[in-house]
Each structure stands twice: as structure tokens, then as C-alpha cells.
Amino acid sequence: MLIRKNYPELGEVKAPYVHAVKHGDTLYISGLTAFATPAQQGDIASQAEAIFQQLHLIAASENTSLSHLIKVTIFITSFAQINDLRAVLFRHYGNHLPASSLVQISQLFSPDLKVEIEAIIAL
Amino acid sequence: MLIRKNYPELGEVKAPYVHAVKHGDTLYISGLTAFATPAQQGDIASQAEAIFQQLHLIAASENTSLSHLIKVTIFITSFAQINDLRAVLFRHYGNHLPASSLVQISQLFSPDLKVEIEAIIAL
Amino acid sequence: MLIRKNYPELGEVKAPYVHAVKHGDTLYISGLTAFATPAQQGDIASQAEAIFQQLHLIAASENTSLSHLIKVTIFITSFAQINDLRAVLFRHYGNHLPASSLVQISQLFSPDLKVEIEAIIAL
């Protein structure tokens, strides 16, 4: 069974995607950014913080938590502040580190954006 | 059970991959492009159109449809024509929007290519 | 059930991730590179070779082999030596080609690195 989910607290989606899709006991979460949050023009750490607030909210809406993170893919536009990003990741993961890929790409859909994170969570 | 699939209508694969791999009730589809289609040198919208023809064909071969799309990752080489791309996506998804990530990368395997889309479909 | 795995033979992980996470009969492997291997400053073929040694080791630790590869995503920093990379891939895949995406990104987490490969394996 396939369930398409938008979470109103994350704001309305106007582009061709939903926030997440549930397939069996796996939740696939779209690439999240700080767009339209107070951190949109912030540094990579504050943008990552804004993304993790969304991830926590999604996990809570699904009656789970980030302790169930399986895999993330992290797209960044610069490695300059990588230690700041890592500090945010360690803090939110706690003892539940996911599998992860991390690459620097050319641009995200707004020039303000410094990081996009997609995630897979076990339900 | 793992089933590796090539779809002859999509042309012969000469590189180290298959078009898709089936694992349980999940079909993982390789990054598809307009390479070797009439749209290879076209704009991003016509290239995306060519990709969706391949996705429809794969879904039909598996006795399903794009209404079963779970997740896509869209790699583009420029955001300049993003609205044209989005129009193609909305048209083909219909009411079945997938989870999605969208990033601008440096280059695809041919300089002609403006978009590559990988997908996960529920079987 | 979710099982987080580090493989000591791959070296200690100091960043916010684990080498792989097992979810049901699927193993999600983090983006692997030649970092901290003798190939770190080598060409793309030798770096890919170092990555496949890690993949073989992970598969063996899970009592399986790369014949169970489902999907890879290959991030490279240049297409200049693409034929060399493909030769390495064909050799390690044998008759078990996975679904695959291949994109050129701007940079990996060390400027030495020319390729990062993430993988999904069926258990």
C-alpha cells in the first residue's frame, strides 16, 4: 500500500511532489530545505537545524522518531562550514546514526539554500 | 528475490547497469535520460518528456502505472527552465505526486543531457 | 527491525553516519570513498577499486555477495576517465548488474576524492 503524505505544519507544497510517501514499513521523505523558514538566508547550520525540525515533525506525525532513520542523502553547496553541519547532525541523530551520503552540488532550487536533506525512515 | 530487468524498447544498455531491479514489491529504476532519443539535444522539457515515456513503458511492462511512483531523484544541469520541467512533471504525475529531491549537478554523462531522473515504484 | 552496522575493517567512522543500516531484508550502505585508503590520491579507477574492496567486505560480513546488489548511485567529479571507471564496475559486478545513477557533482568531502558510491544490497 502506498500513502502520500503532506504535513500542513511544513507549509503548502506548490511544486510537483509530496512531503513523503509511505510504502509498507518504509517512509521516503522528499529533499527538505530551509526554504520559506526563518533560516532561508541563514548559514548551513541554521538551515540544517530548520530541516531537522521538519524531520522531527514528520517522524512525530508518523508516531515514530529520528531514532528510526535509515538513510539520508545530504546535498550541500559548499564544504566550507562542514564542521558546523556535522555538529547539527550529531546532535539530532544522538545514538542513532543513519547510513549517509554527502556531496557538494552546484545549486539548490533557490540560491539562498545551502543544504537539502532527503531521508528514509523505518515505520 | 532479486530480478534484473532490461526493457528492449528502451534500447540496448552498453554501460554497467540494468534498467531496473525488482526487490520484493519495490522496483528500483536506474537514472534515465533522453540519450539516444529524438530529444537528446532538446530542451529540458522535451528531455523530461522522453524520460517519462520510458517510465510509463517500464511501469506498463511491470503491469502497473506511474500512479505507483514512490520516490524520484531529479538531477538537472540548470534551473533556468525549471517551470517547464515542473509542467511536465505535474502532467505525468497527475494526482499521484511522489516524494522527490531536485538538485543541480555539474554534468550528466553526455553534455547534451539536461536532466536525469531515477525512480522507485511500488509493484 | 533496524540494525546499524560499522565494519571495523573499514576503519573507524568519525563523521555522523554508520557504514550501513539494515532494514528488513535490505541493507543501505553509506556513500563510500577511497578516503584513508592507499588509493586516496589515486585515479578514479584505483579509487573505485578501493570502494569495491569495501563493498565486497561489507557483503561478506553480511553473508552475501555483490551478486545481491540492487542499486548504486555513483557521484564522480569528472567524466574524463569514465571508461576506466566502467571497466572497474563491469569487473566487480560480473553478471549481476545493478540499477544505477551516475552524475558529476562539484566536490566530495576531500579534494582528493574522485568518486563516491552508495549502494543498496538485498540480504
Side-chain angles (χ1 to χ4, degrees):
Chain A
M1 188 168 56
L2 217 55
I3 303 176
R4 303 176 189 284
K5 302 292 292 272
N6 279 317
Y7 306 91
E9 305 90 329
L10 268 57
E12 191 188 352
V13 179
K14 293 168 182 169
Y17 67 92
V18 287
H19 286 130
V21 175
K22 199 186 292 196
H23 180 225
D25 58 357
T26 307
L27 184 73
Y28 295 81
I29 301 175
S30 289
L32 302 174
T33 70
F35 190 77
T37 76
Q40 177 171 340
Q41 298 178 319
D43 60 18
I44 196 170
S46 55
Q47 293 198 2
E49 191 63 47
I51 291 169
F52 272 89
Q53 295 317 316
Q54 298 172 58
L55 286 171
H56 285 296
L57 190 150
I58 291 174
S61 295
E62 301 294 344
N63 298 310
T64 184
S65 76
L66 295 194
S67 69
H68 284 223
L69 263 183
I70 299 172
K71 165 75 169 56
V72 298
T73 308
I74 304 177
F75 300 104
I76 61 177
T77 57
S78 165
F79 275 95
Q81 262 73 53
I82 186 66
N83 287 335
D84 295 348
L85 173 60
R86 284 183 172 154
V88 175
L89 298 174
F90 271 126
R91 184 155 37 81
H92 287 281
Y93 293 152
N95 294 317
H96 309 283
L97 301 176
S100 178
S101 290
L102 171 66
V103 297
Q104 179 185 335
I105 45 72
S106 303
Q107 200 185 303
L108 297 170
F109 76 98
S110 158
D112 287 339
L113 297 174
K114 298 177 173 65
V115 54
E116 173 166 329
I117 302 179
E118 63 167 41
I120 305 175
I121 294 189
L123 297 178
Chain B
M1 189 167 59
L2 217 55
I3 303 177
R4 302 175 189 284
K5 303 291 294 274
N6 279 316
Y7 306 91
E9 306 90 328
L10 268 55
E12 191 187 352
V13 179
K14 293 169 180 166
Y17 67 92
V18 288
H19 286 130
V21 175
K22 199 186 293 195
H23 180 225
D25 58 357
T26 307
L27 184 72
Y28 294 82
I29 301 175
S30 289
L32 301 174
T33 70
F35 190 78
T37 75
Q40 177 171 340
Q41 298 178 320
D43 60 16
I44 196 171
S46 55
Q47 292 198 2
E49 191 63 47
I51 291 168
F52 272 89
Q53 295 316 316
Q54 298 171 57
L55 285 172
H56 284 296
L57 189 149
I58 291 173
S61 295
E62 301 295 343
N63 298 309
T64 185
S65 76
L66 295 195
S67 68
H68 283 223
L69 264 183
I70 300 172
K71 165 76 171 53
V72 298
T73 307
I74 304 177
F75 299 104
I76 62 177
T77 57
S78 166
F79 275 94
Q81 261 73 53
I82 185 66
N83 287 335
D84 295 348
L85 173 61
R86 285 184 172 154
V88 175
L89 298 174
F90 271 126
R91 184 155 38 78
H92 287 282
Y93 293 152
N95 294 318
H96 309 283
L97 301 176
S100 178
S101 290
L102 171 66
V103 297
Q104 179 185 335
I105 46 71
S106 303
Q107 200 186 300
L108 297 170
F109 76 96
S110 157
D112 287 339
L113 297 174
K114 299 177 173 65
V115 54
E116 173 166 331
I117 302 178
E118 63 168 41
I120 305 175
I121 294 189
L123 296 177
Chain C
M1 188 169 58
L2 217 56
I3 303 176
R4 303 176 188 284
K5 302 292 292 271
N6 279 317
Y7 306 91
E9 306 89 329
L10 268 56
E12 191 188 352
V13 179
K14 294 170 181 166
Y17 67 91
V18 288
H19 286 131
V21 175
K22 199 186 292 195
H23 180 224
D25 59 356
T26 307
L27 183 73
Y28 294 82
I29 300 175
S30 289
L32 302 174
T33 70
F35 190 78
T37 76
Q40 176 172 339
Q41 297 178 319
D43 59 18
I44 196 171
S46 55
Q47 293 198 2
E49 191 63 48
I51 291 168
F52 272 90
Q53 295 317 316
Q54 297 171 57
L55 286 172
H56 284 298
L57 189 150
I58 291 173
S61 295
E62 300 295 343
N63 298 310
T64 185
S65 76
L66 295 194
S67 68
H68 284 223
L69 263 182
I70 299 172
K71 165 75 169 55
V72 299
T73 307
I74 304 176
F75 299 104
I76 61 177
T77 57
S78 166
F79 275 94
Q81 261 74 53
I82 186 66
N83 287 335
D84 296 347
L85 173 61
R86 285 184 171 153
V88 175
L89 298 175
F90 271 126
R91 184 156 36 80
H92 286 282
Y93 293 152
N95 294 317
H96 309 283
L97 301 176
S100 179
S101 291
L102 172 66
V103 297
Q104 179 183 334
I105 46 72
S106 303
Q107 200 186 303
L108 297 169
F109 75 96
S110 158
D112 286 339
L113 298 175
K114 299 177 173 67
V115 54
E116 173 166 330
I117 302 179
E118 62 166 43
I120 305 174
I121 294 189
L123 297 178

